[in-house]
Amino acid sequence: MLTGLLDESHVMPFENLPSRVARHAATAGFSEVLIYLGDLQRDVLRLLTGEGPDAAGGAPEGRAVLSVEGTVAGRAYQYGSIVPAADTGDGLHGWWVPLLDGTERLGVLYMASPAEDGKEVREDMLALASLVAMLVVGSRDTSDSYARLTRNRPMNVAAEMQWTLMPPRTYADHRVIIGAVMEPAYEVSGDAYDYATAADVVHLSVFDAMGHDTSAGLTANLAVGACRNHRRQGTDLGDLGDAIERVLLDQFGASRYVTGVLADLDTSTGTLTWVNRGHLPPVVIRDGRWASLLHCAPAHPMGADLHLPTTVCREQLQPGDRLVLYTDGITEARTLGGEEFGLTRFVDFLVRHHTDGLSVPETLRRLIRAHLGHHGNRLQDDATILLCEWLGPRADAMADAAPLAGVPGPVVDG
């Protein structure tokens, strides 16, 4: 099953994926395999038919679009576990299998087989799901079909630039789990986030450019590009903000600026080093019940050309701490009645769902849904969150990293 699909994958168009997967899965006894991919906001799961996003052919009646909330398929997606499907009465057993690229949640597979649940069947399902996920990721950046399938409405130009620039919204290894969200997903302009690893150091940054238009998107794009360029040349964290500022000044003069937090986490020790460039202070959540703001004397926003000194601050994290970087669109957004979402509500939500044991990606998905609901699904400003959980030194994290990251575990709801 796997070798046959892998052999064909090297020159296989994205649209052929459903038919080729079904054909090769049949050799392992799976009579039906359906591929569902999550939409941009992770609200629904949409069937990949291979006939274009608007085609009805190949879609079982009533099963072309499934909600993440309140469905069995959605439960498999939310919790990263294989979930048995309802009995169809035709002698087949069905399962919903999470579709993961590492720890990034892409969607789910529906798989049906005459065989009953068992270790070998489960191993086959997980192996196929892993390969399908890699094939989806390998094709999506060059596939307009993928983009159309995973969007529920048109996207503006600024958001198109931002999503193309951003790293994946989920990353995990045996040291850290990282998750990110940006809203309004189809209209985001001036917000951006970035992360990267180099040996034991994980870099994290968020940016908030002035304005809410395409120019703001260009400014944020330039800031992220400058950050990556100088970081990869070995620029020290204390000088990184000034290096970004020089690039912005060369392009825009002093007419555009970006606030941000730039941070490095030494995963071997838990030492967090960061600088604040006119931005909101980071939050640390500890033991699922305690949170604190990390205060650091802020320098001026990058691009403002005010020549204020940059202060490099340090904090010692503990294993399991969650570091949260965010933009003011999260805390300062108001309802029509003038009520702010607020920092307290924001942190309380994160603490509550940390205590519930939810993964970082699922915590952020639920948070952004609550945030949008609080504001009637209409945000006046971009809202971005970048959350990093430090698992502790590698040796201590090995046993616990997989379940924390949302890697599929045993069958639930069986």
Side-chain angles (χ1 to χ4, degrees):
M1 175 179 69
L2 298 179
T3 55
L5 180 58
L6 186 60
D7 285 343
E8 286 197 41
S9 69
H10 300 293
V11 290
M12 181 173 62
F14 178 73
E15 291 77 10
N16 288 359
L17 187 59
S19 60
R20 302 294 173 84
V21 168
R23 185 172 72 199
H24 290 287
T27 66
F30 295 103
S31 57
E32 184 177 21
V33 178
L34 301 175
I35 303 171
Y36 287 83
L37 299 176
D39 74 309
L40 182 62
Q41 294 176 297
R42 303 306 190 236
D43 290 330
V44 298
L45 300 163
R46 303 183 70 179
L47 179 66
L48 175 60
T49 65
E51 303 177 23
D54 300 321
E61 184 177 355
R63 292 170 60 186
V65 180
L66 303 174
S67 174
V68 170
E69 298 290 336
T71 66
V72 180
R75 184 173 180 84
Y77 177 83
Q78 291 180 59
Y79 294 98
S81 297
I82 300 173
V83 181
D87 186 7
T88 60
D90 54 6
L92 297 177
H93 303 277
W95 299 272
W96 292 102
V97 185
L99 196 59
L100 302 168
D101 175 50
T103 53
E104 182 188 4
R105 302 182 300 176
L106 303 174
V108 294
L109 295 184
Y110 173 78
M111 304 184 68
S113 169
E116 295 186 3
D117 180 33
K119 180 180 179 182
E120 184 176 345
V121 171
R122 188 179 303 129
E123 287 177 348
D124 287 344
M125 289 191 292
L126 290 176
L128 180 61
S130 295
L131 180 54
V132 171
M134 287 190 286
L135 297 180
V136 169
V137 170
S139 300
R140 65 181 177 182
D141 289 345
T142 56
S143 173
D144 282 349
S145 294
Y146 175 89
R148 292 171 182 145
L149 179 69
T150 56
R151 296 179 186 182
N152 292 327
R153 61 179 185 271
M155 179 178 289
N156 66 22
V157 173
E160 193 79 55
M161 291 191 302
Q162 298 305 78
W163 285 117
T164 301
L165 178 71
M166 296 301 98
R169 284 175 284 177
T170 305
Y171 170 83
D173 55 32
H174 290 302
R175 306 166 299 173
V176 294
I177 306 168
I178 298 172
V181 290
M182 292 198 308
E183 287 288 348
Y186 296 92
E187 299 162 1
V188 67
S189 53
D191 277 11
Y193 68 88
D194 195 22
Y195 64 83
T197 65
D200 288 332
V201 176
V202 174
H203 174 81
L204 305 152
S205 53
V206 294
F207 301 91
D208 186 355
M210 63 172 290
H212 310 292
D213 53 13
T214 304
S215 294
L218 290 169
T219 306
N221 265 256
L222 187 58
V224 172
C227 181
R228 290 173 179 170
N229 179 256
H230 285 278
R231 194 176 70 232
R232 291 165 182 172
Q233 295 179 53
T235 300
D236 183 80
L237 187 64
D239 298 324
L240 187 56
D242 289 337
I244 297 170
E245 178 169 65
R246 288 193 294 272
V247 174
L248 295 175
L249 290 172
D250 286 345
Q251 182 64 40
F252 301 116
S255 64
R256 313 288 304 185
Y257 65 82
V258 179
T259 70
V261 171
L262 312 172
D264 286 340
L265 173 61
D266 186 335
T267 60
S268 66
T269 64
T271 301
L272 175 72
T273 309
W274 83 99
V275 297
N276 187 327
R277 297 301 300 253
H279 201 78
L280 297 169
V283 171
V284 169
I285 297 173
R286 180 164 295 160
D287 296 331
R289 62 178 185 272
W290 181 83
S292 66
L293 293 176
L294 299 184
H295 292 289
C296 185
H300 58 282
M302 293 165 283
D305 198 23
L306 298 179
H307 304 286
L308 299 178
T310 297
T311 301
V312 178
C313 296
R314 289 175 175 81
E315 179 79 11
Q316 180 61 49
L317 300 186
Q318 297 180 10
D321 280 358
R322 288 184 173 185
L323 172 72
V324 187
L325 309 181
Y326 55 98
T327 63
D328 59 10
I330 289 290
T331 56
E332 296 178 8
R334 296 178 179 271
T335 64
L336 292 177
E339 181 186 4
E340 270 192 352
F341 192 75
L343 180 62
T344 300
R345 190 194 306 263
F346 172 52
V347 173
D348 284 350
F349 190 100
L350 292 174
V351 167
R352 184 168 67 253
H353 286 76
H354 180 106
T355 305
D356 289 342
L358 291 177
S359 67
V360 167
E362 182 60 19
T363 296
L364 292 182
R365 190 190 73 85
R366 296 188 184 195
L367 171 61
I368 208 65
R369 284 177 59 87
H371 184 67
L372 288 169
H374 182 76
H375 301 290
N377 292 316
R378 295 294 301 175
L379 298 180
Q380 302 303 314
D381 193 5
D382 297 340
T384 298
I385 306 169
L386 180 64
L387 192 156
C388 176
E389 180 174 346
W390 181 52
L391 301 175
R394 292 180 204 171
D396 296 336
M398 291 291 289
D400 299 327
L404 282 170
V407 175
V411 173
V412 299
D413 292 350

